[in-house]
Amino acid sequence: MTTYDKAHELAKALKNSDEYRSFLAAKNSVEADAQAKQMVQDFIARQMEVQYEMMSGKPEDKNKVEQLQKMYELLIVNSKAKDFVHAHMRFNQIIGDIYKIIGDSVAEGMDFFAKE
């Protein structure tokens, strides 16, 4: 079996996972509620902005973090928005874990690109 066959097998397993199905169900539910959809889009956009700033080495902006927390507190009041964000986070955790597993498995070869 080739590496590509394994990749397709992994893709199929992800697509059939409970986490992905829950994510799709939550996505369909939130898309049917314009207010919930907007809340989720605003929250995720702000969350990504804060994460990108932190990854780029900028100091944490306490005001943005507080805004993000307040947005989350409002978001979880809406069950559709809350369910979507939680399903999204669970599925993203799986994807992140898979990336880490793959990265760790080939780390020895990637050290060539590390600065000395």
Side-chain angles (χ1 to χ4, degrees), residues 19 22-23 26 43 72 75-76 79-92:
E19 293 83 3
S22 294
F23 171 67
F43 175 76
Y72 181 75
L75 182 138
I76 62 171
S79 64
K80 291 178 183 179
K82 177 188 72 164
D83 291 347
F84 176 85
V85 168
H86 289 171
H88 180 261
M89 289 168 52
R90 280 191 304 274
F91 188 67
N92 276 342

Side-chain angles (χ1 to χ4, degrees), residues 24 29 42-43 47 51 55 83-84 86 94 100 103 116:
L24 287 182
S29 179
D42 292 346
F43 175 76
Q47 185 180 45
Q51 288 174 342
M55 287 175 14
D83 291 347
F84 176 85
H86 289 171
I94 289 171
K100 181 172 180 354
E116 293 181 18

Side-chain angles (χ1 to χ4, degrees), residues 87-112:
H88 180 261
M89 289 168 52
R90 280 191 304 274
F91 188 67
N92 276 342
Q93 181 64 51
I94 289 171
I95 298 298
D97 291 347
I98 290 169
Y99 284 144
K100 181 172 180 354
I101 291 166
I102 292 169
D104 290 350
S105 73
V106 296
E108 181 180 358
M110 294 298 133
D111 65 353
F112 177 80

Side-chain angles (χ1 to χ4, degrees), residues 18-47:
D18 290 339
E19 293 83 3
Y20 185 66
R21 289 182 214 206
S22 294
F23 171 67
L24 287 182
K27 176 183 174 280
N28 291 335
S29 179
V30 83
E31 283 183 333
D33 181 336
Q35 181 183 5
K37 183 177 179 179
Q38 189 63 55
M39 289 171 71
V40 167
Q41 288 175 331
D42 292 346
F43 175 76
I44 290 177
R46 178 56 56 103
Q47 185 180 45

